[in-house]
Amino acid sequence: METFVSYVALVVIAFLLGSIPWGVIISRVFYHTDIRQHGSGNIGTTNAMRAMGKVGGVAVFLLDFGKGLASGLIAMAVYTYVLAPHLGADAALVYHDCIAFAFVGCILGHIFSPWLHFKGGKGIAVAVGCLFVTFGPVGALIEIAVFAVIVIKTRYVSAGSLAAAVLCPFLALYYFWGYPIAWACCLVAAVIVIWAHRSNIGRLRNGTERRIGGSKSQTTQS
């Protein structure tokens, strides 16, 4: 029962942490505007760059990345100080489940922020922060590398984001082999991120998605 309660608490904490809409906060406090009224209306890094410039965009990325990383570190702390002292043979299983629940909880909070009427960002910066704990630095860097290669090759940020999301459950097969609940969390997180990019997918198929350096008259939801 203690383990189940800890899982639920982790999801709730990670969800609330992920739900902090840094894009909106930064735009209102420091730029006296609302990022949702500019560009695509999205609160994530790409639109923040367009609406607030490089400084604002980097700030939003770092804060979104930070809440993802923080959720993973909280999961590690809960496991280490609350659950581990009472576990035996199931210790590895519980550890992997903890970090995976925090991963999916934080992404859900970011994409479905209750402070924005259950709307939010696309989940990429948050996911990367989480993955530094969920997969570890090597796995997270693999995801970043795939994202970067696709973006450089296509000049579509959304294409890189989708490629990284698709890769996630496959990498999870390696990192969470033998831990089905943890793997399922990664699969759910990937599906949700892909769903959040559904408008981008439509524009990619139609050839109307805005490329990096493309015309400002084009719109994007990146």
Side-chain angles (χ1 to χ4, degrees):
M1 178 59 72
E2 183 180 17
T3 300
F4 175 77
V5 171
S6 296
Y7 287 165
V8 173
L10 268 176
V11 172
V12 172
I13 292 170
F15 180 90
L16 292 174
L17 185 59
S19 73
I20 301 172
W22 285 119
V24 175
I25 294 171
I26 294 296
S27 67
R28 285 184 169 179
V29 173
F30 296 100
Y31 292 86
H32 308 293
T33 187
D34 190 329
I35 190 175
R36 294 170 294 178
Q37 298 174 356
H38 299 271
S40 67
N42 190 262
I43 68 170
T45 301
T46 304
N47 198 46
M49 288 281 189
R50 298 189 185 106
M52 298 181 286
K54 292 182 179 179
V55 173
V58 170
V60 171
F61 172 80
L62 291 176
L63 288 166
D64 282 347
F65 175 92
K67 66 187 184 183
L69 181 62
S71 70
L73 294 176
I74 290 170
M76 291 179 66
V78 169
Y79 169 79
T80 301
Y81 298 108
V82 177
L83 297 175
H86 311 290
L87 296 173
D90 292 335
L93 174 67
V94 172
Y95 171 76
H96 287 90
D97 287 352
C98 279
I99 59 175
F101 278 125
F103 175 47
V104 73
C106 193
I107 289 175
L108 282 169
H110 181 75
I111 295 175
F112 302 106
S113 174
W115 320 117
L116 303 178
H117 306 291
F118 294 97
K119 297 179 180 179
K122 298 297 179 71
I124 297 301
V126 171
V128 173
C130 290
L131 286 175
F132 270 90
V133 175
T134 309
F135 289 169
V138 173
L141 290 173
I142 290 172
E143 289 274 3
I144 292 171
V146 168
F147 168 84
V149 167
I150 298 299
V151 171
I152 291 169
K153 185 174 179 62
T154 66
R155 292 194 293 127
Y156 290 127
V157 173
S158 56
S161 301
L162 287 164
V166 170
L167 177 62
C168 181
F170 292 98
L171 274 180
L173 284 174
Y174 171 76
Y175 286 104
F176 294 144
W177 187 261
Y179 304 106
I181 293 177
W183 178 82
C185 286
C186 292
L187 176 62
V188 169
V191 169
I192 292 169
V193 169
I194 293 169
W195 176 86
H197 284 80
R198 62 197 182 281
S199 58
N200 301 88
I201 294 171
R203 285 192 298 275
L204 286 168
R205 293 177 63 182
N206 296 331
T208 57
E209 179 75 308
R210 180 178 170 183
R211 295 177 186 267
I212 295 176
S215 170
K216 292 184 179 181
S217 62
Q218 291 177 286
T219 58
T220 181
Q221 295 291 333
S222 298

